[in-house]
Structures are given as C-alpha cells and as structure tokens.
Amino acid sequence: MPSTTTTTTPLKKPYISLTLLFVITRIALFSLALLTPSPAYDSSTNLILPPPDDANVGAIWLVLTKLAERLTRWDAIYFVKVSERGYLFEQEWAFGWGFTTVVGFFGRVLVKLSPTTIPDPYPYIFSGIVIANISHLFSVFVLYKLTQHVFKGEGERQLSFLAAALHVLSPAGLFLAAPYSESLFSLLTFVGYLIYAKSTSVSATAITRNAGTLLTGVVFSISTMVRSNGLLNGSIFLHDFILELMSFAGEPQVGTFVRIVVLGVSGVLVAVGLAVPQGIAWLDYCTIGEGEGVEKAEWCSHTIPSIYFWVQEKYWNVGLFRYWKVSNIPLFLLAAPMLAILIYSGSIALSGKLQLPVQSSPSSSKKNTQPSQDAKANQLLLLRKLAIPQVLLAVLAIFSYHVQIINRLGSGCVVWYWWVAVSILGDARGVREQGVAGKLGKWTVRWMVMYGLVQAVLFAGFLPPA
C-alpha cells in the first residue's frame, strides 16, 4: 500500500506549513521576475514610472522598485493608474471598481504614513502587491477551512491540506502576486462559499440558513465589484430558488416562502455588485445637461446602459464567438488544460461522484468517521451547486472571453482543487476505483508548477499570454 506519510508532518501545524509553502513559492516567483532580462518587450510600464535613479538609492529600494516594475505588466498598469487618480478614460471601466477602490485607499494611506516621500505611482503599486499577496495567503487558509467543512470523514485533514496547497501552486502564478484582482476575488469567493456551506449544513436552523444566505449574498456582491465574473456565483442562489419554488408550488408553507424571498434578495445583492460601478459611471457620463455642449456616450442610450459591457466589446473585442479566429488557436491550446480540468472536475461533482476516497481495511472499518446519510446527501448537493459557477466560467471562456485568461480566472473556483486533491489522495491510499484519476491528478500538479514558473518569466518580461 502506498504511503501517505508525506502529509503527516505538515498536518500537525497546517497553517504554518501552508504559510511556509506560500513563502517558498513567492521567493521562487519573485526571483524569476527579478532575474528576467530588462528592458521588457513592451515599454508601457516605464511610461507610468518615474525615471530611475539607481545611483542615489539604497539597495532595498532598488530591489523593491525593480520588483514593482516587473509586476506592473498588462492590466496591472490600468489597475495602478486608476487606483492613483480615479477613472479618467472610458476604457478603464473594464477594470474592477472594487479592487481599484481598495488599492487606492491603502495607497493613499501609505503616502500619508511614509516618513519619506514615495514617488507616484509606487505607493499604489506596493499597495496592490501587498493586497494581492495577503489576499492569496488568506484565501489558502479559507480554502483549508472550507474543505474541512465540506469533506467530513477519514482523511479530511489530508484532503484539506492538499487542496489548500494546490491553491498556493495555482497556475495563475505571478498574477496572484501582482497588482491584479484575482487574489482578492478568490478570497471573497471562498469566504462566501464557507459562509454558505455552514449556513446550509444539515444541523443549521432556518434562521441560521437564511441569515447565512443573505450574508453570502453580501460577500458575493462585494466580490462582483472586484471582478464581474463574481456574478456567476448567483447561479447557486438561482439553483436553490428554483428548487424552493417547486417545493412551494407542491406544498405551500410559510418557511418555504420566506426562503424564496431570502434567496431572491441574495440574488439581487449579487447583481447589485455589478450594478453599482455601472451606476457610478452612468452618473459621470450620462447625466450631462443638454445645453452643456457635450455629447453623451453612445452606451448611455442602450436599453441597459452598462459601460462595462460596452468597453469590453468596443476596446477588447469581447463577445460571443469574437475570439474564434485562426490566429487565436495557440491561445485556445494554451487554455485547453485548464478548461478540461474545470469542465471535467465540474462534471464529476455535478454527477455526485466527487467523494473523499476511503481505503477499505480492518483498521478503517473499526473506526467509523464517515458522515450520516443526510450529511452525505447534503455534501453532494453542495458540491453540485459549487460546480455550477465553475462550469459556467469555463463555457463563457470558450465562447466569449479572451480564452487564455481562464488560467488565472480558474484560481477563484474550488471544485477543481478538490478533484485534484481527491485523485492524488485516492491514488496514495491505493483506492483502485480511482482508475487513472490519481495519475491525472499528479500530472495536473506537474503542469501547474511548470506553467506557473514559465508564466512568471513571460509576465515579468511583458510577454504574452496575459
């Protein structure tokens, strides 16, 4: 029987072990970024940075500014500039209002607290980097707790540690360490999942269930302000709403009616997360007086006046089948592994087959640590619901998004981490029913590490894919 002792020692102090793994990966990624040859392929970063003065600065400041320069690539340039001076150009509204607001706030705090003058935009770059890294580390901890709650039974601590460790090694790589919104989005999403999972457990009372659902809606709303794809988490409420509506139609009850209202309000809260930034932009662009001699933006006259969807289509060519071009085939191939993992693991959860593998042995039969039948059914239902936004994200990436971004957007999904962890743990326990899943899990980890390392060099060099 294969040994599982490799996870025994880290399990004694999981948070310390996960933090150590996080620090090691950050050192590796930051080292690769600093060692990447400069100047970069694209000089856009240098246009927003002050002229370098290497001769009159200390070694620490030199390293920090070099690292900041390597991490301010692609969309990070927009995030930093918007955080520094607000939304100035129309196309900048494609970048999450929630994230830029948080980065801008702490950037200004840094400016006020700093004993020396820090030239712009470095306070906002540092703010974005710190927020991204702290958010990523905390999301690792939350995923550990979420996995423990969802998978109750023999080996739950091993599974929880493996899943959390996989999030550390996410193929999103340096995107989770740079001034990008993915880390904060993942943290908020995982917190929302944890609240929802606890509030819908078998032992939860009606009050706990409804209060937890509303709180989940608030957290999902904030996450949607950070990244618009947080809207997909509303599908969880929609699933419950439909089931409760069918139940009420068959047997009307006050408790069911209240539950329907709570789910409806929670779903609206998620939508509000997308609507708030649109409303702010609408006030800026669409309330110009007739006599002021300024034409209103074209999107102001749309049935749904959304600046976000307008600029995504106009400036980034985002839309149904718009990315389906021969020239983009390499990007589809690059995204194929992540897409396959998201869809396959999601389908496993939707079919009710994503379960913690239990090794059949005399020792395990003596100690029954498995959940009750009701708890098991509730677990499988929860897994199905959490798989819905993951599969929807993958499908949208294929048909509407710039498909390569799925390698970083996937960091905010949880089911695929669990599938990889279950596959590896099942293989380690010698559970033959896992078939080739254990091998697939191990190869997935190898791909994650290799892609993350290569992507770090490409990102630091301002090279695609972004």
Side-chain angles (χ1 to χ4, degrees):
M1 180 188 70
S3 173
T4 58
T5 56
T6 54
T7 58
T8 301
T9 301
L11 288 179
K12 293 180 180 179
K13 297 181 178 179
Y15 294 107
I16 294 177
S17 300
L18 289 169
T19 301
L20 181 60
L21 177 62
F22 179 87
V23 170
I24 292 173
T25 58
R26 280 299 182 270
I27 291 175
L29 292 175
F30 288 162
S31 297
L32 285 173
L34 289 170
L35 292 172
T36 300
S38 184
Y41 167 77
D42 191 309
S43 61
S44 299
T45 302
N46 296 328
L47 296 178
I48 70 169
L49 296 178
D53 187 18
D54 297 352
N56 299 315
V57 297
I60 295 178
W61 176 254
L62 181 61
V63 172
L64 288 176
T65 53
K66 292 295 183 184
L67 182 61
E69 185 256 339
R70 299 295 199 281
L71 297 184
T72 309
R73 305 300 196 201
W74 301 103
D75 294 354
I77 296 175
Y78 284 97
F79 282 123
V80 168
K81 290 305 295 181
V82 172
S83 299
E84 179 187 357
R85 44 97 169 124
Y87 290 89
L88 182 62
F89 302 105
E90 186 180 57
Q91 65 268 27
E92 293 174 346
W93 284 92
F95 302 94
W97 176 84
F99 182 68
T100 58
T101 300
V102 174
V103 173
F105 172 79
F106 284 103
R108 287 184 285 276
V109 170
L110 180 59
V111 170
K112 292 182 179 181
L113 296 181
S114 176
T116 59
T117 301
I118 304 177
D120 288 337
Y122 284 119
Y124 303 93
I125 297 177
F126 296 150
S127 172
I129 292 173
V130 171
I131 289 171
N133 284 275
I134 290 178
S135 297
H136 187 197
L137 179 59
F138 280 18
S139 66
V140 170
F141 296 157
V142 175
L143 181 56
Y144 179 86
K145 293 298 295 183
L146 174 62
T147 310
Q148 272 196 315
H149 179 80
V150 174
F151 294 89
K152 290 185 172 69
E154 184 181 349
E156 67 181 59
R157 295 187 66 191
Q158 288 180 316
L159 183 66
S160 300
F161 183 84
L162 284 173
L166 289 170
H167 185 45
V168 175
L169 302 174
S170 170
L174 214 51
F175 285 100
L176 298 180
Y180 265 73
S181 59
E182 277 75 12
S183 290
L184 182 57
F185 175 79
S186 295
L187 174 60
L188 292 167
T189 299
F190 295 175
V191 168
Y193 288 165
L194 180 59
I195 296 171
Y196 178 80
K198 288 192 172 186
S199 65
T200 55
S201 62
V202 174
S203 60
T205 63
I207 294 177
T208 300
R209 184 164 58 252
N210 291 330
T213 299
L214 287 171
L215 182 56
T216 302
V218 172
V219 176
F220 284 168
S221 180
I222 298 172
S223 74
T224 305
M225 293 182 191
V226 173
R227 280 207 62 90
S228 63
N229 56 287
L231 193 66
L232 299 178
N233 288 321
S235 61
I236 297 173
F237 297 139
L238 180 61
H239 174 280
D240 288 351
F241 184 85
I242 294 173
L243 290 182
E244 294 292 346
L245 205 60
M246 293 171 61
S247 176
F248 186 79
E251 186 180 354
Q253 293 182 358
V254 174
T256 306
F257 176 76
V258 172
R259 182 65 180 161
I260 290 172
V261 173
V262 167
L263 288 166
V265 172
S266 299
V268 170
L269 285 172
V270 180
V272 166
L274 183 63
V276 166
Q278 311 309 304
I280 295 172
W282 184 84
L283 291 173
D284 285 345
Y285 286 89
C286 305
T287 57
I288 302 173
E290 294 285 342
E292 294 182 23
V294 181
E295 292 186 7
K296 293 182 180 180
E298 181 179 344
W299 57 271
C300 292
S301 60
H302 290 182
T303 304
I304 301 178
S306 169
I307 190 173
Y308 176 78
F309 294 109
W310 164 250
V311 301
Q312 285 282 10
E313 179 182 348
K314 180 179 179 180
Y315 295 99
W316 277 271
N317 198 34
V318 172
L320 189 63
F321 301 120
R322 285 172 175 259
Y323 218 56
W324 284 31
K325 300 177 181 178
V326 174
S327 59
N328 289 333
I329 289 178
L331 296 176
F332 275 90
L333 294 176
L334 190 71
M338 191 74 237
L339 290 170
I341 292 168
L342 292 174
I343 294 174
Y344 180 72
S345 62
S347 66
I348 293 294
L350 289 170
S351 64
K353 296 179 181 178
L354 183 57
Q355 302 181 43
L356 182 63
V358 179
Q359 177 187 345
S360 297
S361 67
S363 59
S364 63
S365 62
K366 290 179 182 178
K367 184 179 180 181
N368 182 16
T369 58
Q370 300 308 304
S372 65
Q373 289 299 318
D374 288 343
K376 190 66 178 179
N378 188 70
Q379 177 201 67
L380 295 177
L381 178 60
L382 176 62
L383 289 170
R384 289 191 186 101
K385 288 186 281 188
L386 296 184
I388 295 173
Q390 174 177 300
V391 173
L392 288 176
L393 179 67
V395 172
L396 284 172
I398 293 172
F399 291 100
S400 296
Y401 295 172
H402 290 189
V403 69
Q404 72 275 9
I405 69 173
I406 195 63
N407 287 319
R408 51 187 170 93
L409 294 190
S411 61
C413 302
V414 293
V415 171
W416 76 274
Y417 291 122
W418 291 335
W419 170 75
V420 176
V422 164
S423 301
I424 294 174
L425 190 57
D427 184 67
R429 290 181 172 186
V431 179
R432 301 305 177 188
E433 289 78 4
Q434 291 290 313
V436 298
K439 306 300 180 186
L440 288 175
K442 291 180 179 179
W443 277 106
T444 298
V445 175
R446 294 186 182 108
W447 166 76
M448 291 167 61
V449 174
M450 291 178 61
Y451 184 86
L453 294 175
V454 173
Q455 175 264 339
V457 175
L458 294 175
F459 180 88
F462 217 135
L463 294 167

